[in-house]
Amino acid sequence: MAKTVFVLNGPNLNLLGTREPAVYGAQTLADVQTLCAQAAQRQGLALRFHQSNHEGQLIDWIHEAGQLHARGELAGLIFNAGAYTHTSVALMDAVKGTGVPLLELHISNVHAREAFRHHSYLSPVARAVVCGLGVAGYSLAIDAVAQW
């Protein structure tokens, strides 16, 4: 059975393609999902792809990924937590509590943006961070997770 890569997307990522295209690009979340499906298939991984504007739903999906991890069925969790990156201790605790191997992802270079975006609650519990590569970062992240 193929291992699974979870790709989670946080608040406002459903607006990709229309929200600040100068920052996030013109591709939609559906385009990103297609890109991820192609990368997962190329790597022989199953894909779980989700987006939610609700912190509790994201935590529930991290817990699901944790169950797969406990059974040895998870390749890794790629997480673009959006603004929750900078505010959510609860998401960090979910990652820590489940022990999932995490790759934190951002479409934009958060370090070249507002100062509040420079701090991440997820980075201390992540194996790697990808930022500033646009949506291409998703397929690169899947390639990296496939090597874990």
Side-chain angles (χ1 to χ4, degrees):
M1 177 196 285
K3 286 193 172 189
T4 298
V5 59
F6 254 76
V7 178
L8 297 183
N9 296 279
N12 299 311
L13 287 158
N14 57 303
L15 299 176
L16 280 178
T18 60
R19 176 187 176 211
E20 299 178 81
V23 174
Y24 299 107
Q27 292 180 289
T28 66
L29 191 62
D31 295 332
V32 173
Q33 185 170 3
T34 298
L35 182 86
C36 289
Q38 292 167 347
Q41 182 178 19
R42 186 175 64 251
Q43 291 294 344
L45 298 170
L47 175 68
R48 292 278 306 271
F49 187 96
H50 300 291
Q51 186 277 330
S52 180
N53 294 319
H54 305 282
E55 187 177 31
Q57 179 62 71
L58 294 166
I59 290 168
D60 289 344
W61 285 325
I62 293 168
H63 292 177
E64 285 183 38
Q67 292 168 356
L68 288 177
H69 179 60
R71 295 193 305 259
E73 299 171 6
L74 182 73
L77 167 62
I78 297 166
F79 193 11
N80 183 346
Y84 285 143
T85 302
H86 321 293
T87 63
S88 181
V89 174
L91 289 172
M92 177 192 66
D93 283 348
V95 171
K96 280 176 67 174
T98 59
V100 295
L102 173 69
L103 189 148
E104 177 184 346
L105 184 138
H106 303 283
I107 295 169
S108 68
N109 178 357
V110 293
H111 302 290
R113 297 183 64 199
E114 302 94 338
F116 72 87
R117 295 185 195 275
H118 300 177
H119 177 265
S120 167
Y121 282 101
L122 295 174
S123 290
V125 295
R127 285 193 185 179
V129 178
V130 171
C131 73
L133 298 176
V135 297
Y138 282 88
S139 62
L140 295 170
I142 289 172
D143 291 344
V145 165
Q147 304 308 308
W148 290 354

